[in-house]
Amino acid sequence: MTKILPFKAVRPAPAYAGLVASRSYENYSEAELRAQLEYNPYSFLHIINPGYKFQHEIGGEKRFGMVKNRYLEFKEEHIFIQDESPSYYIYKIQTREGSCCGIIAAASVEDYEQNVIKKHEDTIAHREELFKEYLKVVGFNTEPVLLTYPDDPIINQLLDERMHTRPEYEFATANKEIHSLWLIDDPQNIQKIQEQFAQMEKIYIADGHHRSSSSWLLAKESKNSNPNHTGKEAYNFFMSYLISESNLKIFEFSRLIKDLNGHTKEEFLIKLDEWFRIENRGYEVYKPSKKHHFNMYLDGEFYSLYLRKTNYEFTDSLSELDSYILYEKILKPVLGIRDLRYDNRIEYVHGRNDLIELKTRVDSGEFEVGFGMLPAGIEEIKQIADENLTMPPKSTYIEPKLRSGLTIYEF
């Protein structure tokens, strides 16, 4: 039984929505970020980059307090307002490739703890603790965890019916996306949605493992310090974007490695031959078409690598994952890459960027070799989560990526 509840979001007043909404902070170049902060006083970036007001870089807990101050200023100036009644929020993104939509709602930390909300990635303790402290100080969350659930015809029908009405927000962005948001605030439809999710035995984290884990840590701490804890407090939930599996877009990450770990090109290829059938594709831009097939770019040429399945033993769902095979048979034993998160010899290019970027960065001399693969499928991700296994870092790049600042969850 999955507990997915409506909540009273803090949102931009309609006139400000398109100006407030921002991409993730890391997705802006330095010049873009400066332009947004200089020329758009309503951008949510002013809240998460509070030192700009004083032309000063601020870090640590001092920054957390200033984030809260900027947020309160937006509320005092009525840029942000809070809904009077709990609602579900339908959020749709229309891109040049198509569209996707889902429901912004409050998910239960108890479901996370009880593994009703299933995980497939490891988290890093210090990052969990840091974000937990951030949430504790600022008192709000604006980046929903991306959760996915099996397609449900009743939920689909409710969303379709609501999206045939005029949206609360609708605005275009410079990268040619259209963002729309509707409220579901009538008790009857709220109950229907809540009941449909309650019938689901489990749902899955697609993106946001650290955010969900940090929210769980905050809930435990808040519960222990609250003698009147009831389980209904806002800290018992975290903001999520629930999207059906058919709406989820999964891409791969390519791997770029700076050197061959002391091997010559010939030695390197001989070592790979133990586990892979290798074919030199020359200048042909090769992209795999099957699982357990990989592409490699080395010394100005593309190669196809086919796993020798007679040598390799599949023991569980993780052992069948291509990013795991690449790590276990090439990156760790041959190239000496053990820590996929922090080794400075490896970088990642997500599948939204084509193989030309991989080729360009190797040709530039910045990297020695690059590897690519097919993206994992949703069934692979679910099976790994169901077996309580964890995927290697950067195994998936998942969309949609939401704009920050459109719905805010306060604790």
Side-chain angles (χ1 to χ4, degrees):
M1 180 174 177
T2 306
K3 188 182 292 185
I4 303 296
L5 302 183
F7 68 101
K8 299 178 183 179
V10 175
R11 305 184 285 111
Y16 300 115
L19 294 169
V20 168
S22 71
R23 305 197 307 271
S24 176
Y25 180 83
E26 294 81 7
N27 289 340
Y28 289 90
S29 68
E30 187 176 337
E32 286 178 314
L33 184 61
R34 190 165 54 249
Q36 282 288 319
L37 293 170
E38 183 71 24
Y39 299 111
N40 181 3
Y42 302 110
S43 173
F44 191 75
L45 293 168
H46 283 284
I47 293 176
I48 58 177
N49 201 48
Y52 180 80
K53 183 176 182 179
F54 304 101
Q55 300 299 308
H56 185 67
E57 198 71 35
I58 299 170
E61 289 191 18
K62 184 182 292 186
R63 174 179 168 269
F64 299 168
M66 293 186 67
V67 167
K68 183 174 183 178
N69 290 342
R70 294 291 86 73
Y71 172 66
L72 292 175
E73 288 172 9
F74 270 50
K75 291 184 73 175
E76 290 162 3
E77 295 168 6
H78 304 292
I79 299 167
F80 282 146
I81 54 176
Q82 185 166 28
D83 288 324
E84 294 182 358
S85 60
S87 301
Y88 290 115
Y89 302 88
I90 303 173
Y91 185 10
K92 179 182 178 183
I93 305 173
Q94 177 79 46
T95 69
R96 284 169 287 187
E97 291 87 11
S99 66
C100 64
C101 73
I103 302 172
I104 297 174
S108 165
V109 294
E110 183 181 8
D111 284 351
Y112 175 86
E113 183 177 29
Q114 298 297 324
N115 210 25
V116 174
I117 296 176
K118 309 283 286 186
K119 319 156 193 68
H120 66 263
E121 284 186 9
D122 277 332
T123 51
I124 301 170
H126 76 85
R127 285 184 61 191
E128 293 175 331
E129 189 67 27
L130 179 65
F131 192 59
K132 185 262 289 181
E133 288 301 314
Y134 170 82
L135 294 175
K136 182 178 176 181
V137 173
V138 302
F140 67 86
N141 189 5
T142 188
E143 292 192 10
V145 174
L146 185 61
L147 301 176
T148 189
Y149 61 91
D151 283 65
D152 184 286
I154 293 177
I155 293 177
N156 288 345
Q157 182 180 351
L158 287 169
L159 299 190
D160 287 342
E161 289 174 356
R162 190 69 182 94
M163 288 190 294
H164 278 89
T165 64
R166 183 176 180 176
E168 180 80 1
Y169 304 146
E170 187 169 50
F171 59 89
T173 58
N175 60 344
K176 297 185 178 179
E177 294 178 348
I178 297 176
H179 296 254
S180 308
L181 184 135
W182 294 261
L183 275 64
I184 297 180
D185 54 6
D186 60 289
Q188 185 178 1
N189 282 330
I190 284 177
Q191 183 178 353
K192 286 181 181 178
I193 291 174
Q194 194 169 331
E195 288 174 350
Q196 288 307 114
F197 280 116
Q199 293 176 27
M200 299 178 190
E201 294 183 1
K202 54 193 174 183
I203 57 177
Y204 296 82
I205 298 176
D207 190 28
H209 284 78
H210 283 92
R211 277 168 276 157
S212 49
S213 180
S214 298
S215 297
W216 171 62
L217 290 175
L218 177 63
K220 285 203 302 181
E221 183 176 304
S222 301
K223 175 183 177 180
N224 291 336
S225 62
N226 181 5
N228 299 313
H229 173 83
T230 65
K232 296 181 180 180
E233 296 86 356
Y235 58 70
N236 292 291
F237 301 87
F238 56 93
M239 186 167 66
S240 300
Y241 183 55
L242 293 109
I243 187 168
S244 64
E245 293 172 7
S246 63
N247 269 270
L248 205 63
K249 296 178 175 62
I250 307 173
F251 301 90
E252 75 284 5
F253 274 99
S254 297
R255 274 77 167 132
L256 289 161
I257 315 297
K258 290 188 176 180
D259 59 67
L260 297 183
N261 197 29
H263 302 299
T264 66
K265 174 184 173 181
E266 291 73 22
E267 291 169 342
F268 179 62
L269 290 172
I270 288 170
K271 285 185 174 294
L272 264 55
D273 186 70
E274 178 183 358
W275 293 102
F276 301 90
R277 182 160 59 87
I278 304 171
E279 184 176 340
N280 188 328
R281 302 278 181 152
Y283 299 116
E284 174 192 351
V285 179
Y286 169 73
K287 186 175 178 65
S289 58
K290 295 181 180 179
K291 273 177 62 66
H292 312 324
H293 289 191
F294 304 83
N295 63 284
M296 179 175 73
Y297 186 69
L298 173 67
D299 194 25
E301 296 178 309
F302 282 94
Y303 294 80
S304 57
L305 309 179
Y306 299 159
L307 179 68
R308 297 186 187 275
K309 296 180 183 178
T310 53
N311 292 357
Y312 186 85
E313 183 180 2
F314 297 112
T315 56
D316 53 29
S317 58
L318 182 61
S319 69
E320 297 195 24
L321 188 70
D322 283 345
S323 62
Y324 179 84
I325 294 169
L326 185 65
Y327 174 67
E328 287 292 326
K329 298 306 176 188
I330 300 179
L331 300 183
K332 182 170 68 172
V334 181
L335 293 174
I337 306 284
R338 295 186 175 276
D339 191 332
L340 293 173
R341 294 186 188 275
Y342 295 115
D343 195 313
N344 60 14
R345 296 169 54 227
I346 186 170
E347 286 191 20
Y348 304 90
V349 177
H350 63 70
R352 267 292 189 189
N353 298 330
D354 59 26
L355 290 175
I356 299 303
E357 179 176 349
L358 182 145
K359 177 181 184 301
T360 300
R361 297 186 71 180
V362 173
D363 287 343
S364 72
E366 182 183 4
F367 296 94
E368 190 78 16
V369 62
F371 299 94
M373 68 204 87
L374 286 180
I378 184 60
E379 292 303 324
E380 284 185 274
I381 294 172
K382 289 166 60 178
Q383 186 64 34
I384 287 170
D386 288 343
E387 293 178 21
N388 297 316
L389 301 170
T390 53
M391 301 166 69
K394 300 293 185 183
S395 288
T396 56
Y397 177 83
I398 295 180
E399 291 186 346
K401 303 294 184 187
L402 308 190
R403 294 266 158 165
S404 295
L406 286 180
T407 58
I408 297 170
Y409 183 80
E410 290 190 342
F411 309 117

